[in-house]
Amino acid sequence: MPSPTAAVVVLAAGSGTRVGAQVNKVLLPLHGVPLLGWSVRTALEVPGVDPVVVVCRPGERGQVGAALQPLVGEREVLLIDGGATRQASEQAALDLLAPRVADGSVDVVAIHDGARPLAGVDLFEETIAAAREHGGAVPAFDLPGLLPRSASEVPAPGGPGTRLAGVQTPQAFRAAPLLVAYAAAAEAGFDGTDTAAAFAEFAAGGDLSIHAVPSSARNLKVTWAEDLRVAERLLG
């Protein structure tokens, strides 16, 4: 049998409200490519990824498909409608992938924000590899200047010198435990802020943990209009 692959889910079911756009922000141009296109194109370049799933806002599948077609070539990109919340959108993608998880062809699922155009192939590879080893993985980076830190000792959580970290995407997880965790989350009425929240709360198994993969502030999420200008400068 062929080796299992990782599936990458790109979330694109948001809106352009805070960025001040009249359309979904992931369709805004960034150096001549739709914002969403940067994430999808990168995901397609990651070795061992198949398929890529794009979660669309209901009613926008045609627009998203047309925007992505020049970028994907002959590769498989699946489009599916999302839900009213982030977790509902993730659940829609997991439902689509469930048969591939069940037959063993997909062993890891990575979930990424379509509004994070600067995540590179290497970050996807590192999070997917860490998920296979540990169960889950998230990119994280130190948030400097918020709290003092002691270089000589590891501080107690919440005490002086506590380190604060920013958590980003792509977040990757072993596929089968992730599906089990999301089923349990749905039964409990749990609606998390990101994939890691549901996995940490509901994934069962003593060998599962969430590993932090080093990242940086460069992997920004376009939320406001100025974020798009910053991304343009970083890419330029």
Side-chain angles (χ1 to χ4, degrees), residues 74-99:
E74 299 300 317
R75 291 293 302 276
E76 180 181 33
V77 174
L78 308 177
L79 305 182
I80 188 169
D81 288 348
T85 66
R86 181 189 184 93
Q87 186 150 324
S89 292
E90 293 174 351
Q91 185 66 66
L94 294 178
D95 290 344
L96 181 65
L97 292 170

Side-chain angles (χ1 to χ4, degrees), residues 11 13 55 82-95 111 178 181-199 201-202:
L11 300 176
V55 184
T85 66
R86 181 189 184 93
Q87 186 150 324
S89 292
E90 293 174 351
Q91 185 66 66
L94 294 178
D95 290 344
I111 297 184
L178 181 62
Y182 266 63
E187 185 175 349
F190 179 88
D191 192 9
T193 55
D194 64 359
T195 324
F199 190 85
E201 184 73 20
F202 294 102

Side-chain angles (χ1 to χ4, degrees), residues 5-62:
T5 63
V8 172
V9 175
V10 182
L11 300 176
S15 68
T17 305
R18 286 182 290 180
V19 83
Q22 299 302 311
V23 298
N24 189 336
K25 66 183 176 183
V26 299
L27 297 174
L28 294 173
L30 178 61
H31 281 288
V33 174
L35 180 62
L36 172 65
W38 290 91
S39 297
V40 172
R41 190 163 60 183
T42 299
L44 290 170
E45 292 173 357
V46 180
V49 162
D50 182 41
V52 173
V53 179
V54 176
V55 184
C56 308
R57 192 162 64 176
E60 291 188 348
R61 263 200 265 185

Side-chain angles (χ1 to χ4, degrees), residues 74 88 115 168 215:
E74 299 300 317
Q168 306 168 334
S215 185

Side-chain angles (χ1 to χ4, degrees), residues 152-167:
S152 61
E153 60 183 357
V154 177
T162 297
R163 296 171 59 186
L164 294 186
V167 175

Side-chain angles (χ1 to χ4, degrees), residues 1-9 43 46-53 75-76 78 97 99-110 128-129 131-132 172-176:
M1 291 182 62
S3 299
T5 63
V8 172
V9 175
V46 180
V49 162
D50 182 41
V52 173
V53 179
R75 291 293 302 276
E76 180 181 33
L78 308 177
L97 292 170
R100 303 189 192 211
V101 177
D103 68 19
S105 58
V106 167
D107 69 335
V108 169
V109 176
I128 289 169
R132 284 194 171 109
F173 305 88
R174 291 183 196 163

